[in-house]
Amino acid sequence: MKATYDVREFPLEYPFTISRGTQESAGVVVVRVEDDDGTVGIGGAGPSAHYGETVGTVEAVLPDLLSVVERVGDPHNVARVETGMREVVNDNPAARTAVSIAVHDLAAKRADLPLYEYWGLDPAQSLDTSYTIGIDDAETMREKTRTARERGYGTLKVKLGTPRDEELLSTVREAAPDATIRVDANEAWTPKEAVRNMEWLDEYGVEFVEQPVPAENTQGLKYVYERSTLPIAADESCVVASDVPKIADRCDIANLKLMKTGGLREARRLIHTARAHGLEVMCGCMAESNASIAAACHLAPLLDYADLDGSLLLDRDDFEGVPMPAGHIDLQAVDRPGTGARET
């Protein structure tokens, strides 16, 4: 096998603001792994500075990671590839994930199966993704909400973490009175603020609240969980499978992201660990291309909730992925083997 990569920059449709800052484009590193017959597996890294990664750090470690792939030589032995990558690069999960996706894509293509079928999953058990409304002024958030509803998205995730939180959520609810709404504070609240906020969030019919307090404040998360009138999802507090036991008694939902886990095998391990601890599971994402989102979509039959709108937030994407008409992750419409990612 031989492996290569290149860097892309994709503008977002709207500037995307959360409590930690604003993003206007998504830097993506695209990985390709090719076998001796010319079949190519595609993967992508959407690094997040919050987890210590940038396009530059991904580029810096990829030669070492790709040398593991070439040394193993068998795309079906994804366990050896992922173990080998962890031995040479302990951190940099987005970089390792890009390679993991490319190898899985290649292995499924060699078997002439879509990835969900390669894994033995039922495509009929798929679900809808939420669509995220970033923080903005009230009028812009109203416009974003109306646009999302016109495109058919029935579940909206609203970013909060400002002094204007109730005004902003009220604006979204007014613009989408029949939508399912989830809220993500991205660690912005204190535990007491979070508990107070739960009262009015409940009045707006919010489905659940994601990461209300800083990840390092584990006792604060438990404080909120024990007093909240709404279910709590742990995102920044839940990175890999070994984190699940630490958050199992202080949230209702474990939220994984491929760019946090470091690979598809670890993502599936996290899902099964969360189930064993009685938690529901959601898969989220960064602002990413279909080079990586496509692979995450194949996890849908194992999930309770999906927040896989990373490619939907882009103004353009060089890759097609799993069809998502009106937000439905339509695995049954995947008409090619592998993840479904294909450069357009």
Side-chain angles (χ1 to χ4, degrees), residues 36-307:
D36 293 339
D37 296 326
T39 304
V40 178
I42 295 172
S48 168
H50 183 69
Y51 295 100
E53 286 189 278
T54 64
V55 166
T57 66
V58 171
E59 287 188 278
V61 300
L62 270 177
D64 290 336
L65 297 177
L66 296 178
S67 70
V68 173
V69 176
E70 294 171 349
R71 183 173 69 248
V72 172
D74 179 5
H76 298 283
N77 198 340
V78 291
R80 183 175 295 175
V81 170
E82 292 199 3
T83 299
M85 287 197 297
R86 190 61 183 263
E87 289 171 351
V88 299
V89 178
N90 188 50
D91 294 319
N92 301 87
R96 287 186 285 117
T97 292
V99 180
S100 170
I101 292 171
V103 172
H104 277 83
D105 185 39
L106 176 56
K109 284 175 175 174
R110 284 163 59 101
D112 198 29
L113 296 171
L115 184 57
Y116 71 79
E117 190 171 354
Y118 186 74
W119 282 339
L121 302 181
D122 181 1
Q125 297 299 310
S126 190
L127 64 168
D128 294 352
T129 180
S130 56
Y131 182 87
T132 305
I133 307 296
I135 296 170
D136 217 311
D137 62 82
E139 187 54 42
T140 302
M141 289 185 71
R142 182 179 291 108
E143 176 190 339
K144 291 178 183 178
T145 301
R146 288 174 175 166
T147 299
R149 294 296 290 131
E150 288 169 1
R151 294 173 181 175
Y153 302 122
T155 300
L156 306 177
K157 184 166 88 167
V158 182
K159 295 288 190 177
L160 296 181
T162 77
R164 303 176 291 124
D165 280 347
E166 186 167 4
E167 174 199 355
L168 298 182
L169 187 64
S170 173
T171 298
V172 172
R173 174 53 82 195
E174 179 185 347
D178 57 343
T180 298
I181 291 181
R182 303 164 185 169
V183 160
D184 185 2
N186 285 113
E187 308 180 275
W189 299 330
T190 67
K192 289 185 178 180
E193 282 176 330
V195 172
R196 288 196 300 269
N197 289 344
M198 296 299 165
E199 297 179 6
W200 59 262
L201 289 168
D202 201 358
E203 293 177 0
Y204 285 97
V206 169
E207 185 178 24
F208 60 78
V209 176
E210 189 177 336
Q211 200 64 44
V213 300
E216 63 271 16
N217 191 351
T218 57
Q219 285 304 116
L221 185 63
K222 188 171 186 179
Y223 177 91
V224 176
Y225 171 69
E226 291 176 343
R227 292 162 177 80
S228 175
T229 57
L230 294 171
I232 302 297
D235 177 5
E236 286 89 344
S237 296
C238 184
V239 177
V240 292
S242 59
D243 292 323
V244 172
K246 306 170 191 175
I247 53 99
D249 64 345
R250 53 205 69 200
C251 69
D252 304 277
I253 304 162
N255 183 18
L256 71 107
K257 290 187 173 83
L258 294 187
M259 298 304 145
K260 297 188 299 183
T261 62
L264 287 167
R265 283 172 54 81
E266 179 65 15
R268 295 184 68 189
R269 190 178 295 117
L270 191 156
I271 291 169
H272 297 314
T273 304
R275 294 284 184 219
H277 283 80
L279 298 177
E280 293 186 304
V281 186
M282 176 166 68
C283 184
C285 61
M286 310 301 181
E288 303 171 32
S289 162
N290 275 309
S292 52
I293 291 291
C297 288
H298 287 260
L299 294 170
L302 298 174
L303 307 173
D304 299 288
Y305 311 99
D307 178 33

Side-chain angles (χ1 to χ4, degrees), residues 306-336:
D307 178 33
L308 295 174
D309 62 346
S311 62
L312 302 176
L313 300 174
L314 303 181
D315 189 53
R316 65 172 180 83
D317 189 354
D318 294 344
F319 294 85
E320 293 179 353
V322 174
M324 285 195 271
H328 180 66
I329 301 168
D330 194 355
L331 291 175
Q332 293 176 303
V334 176
D335 60 358
R336 49 191 179 268

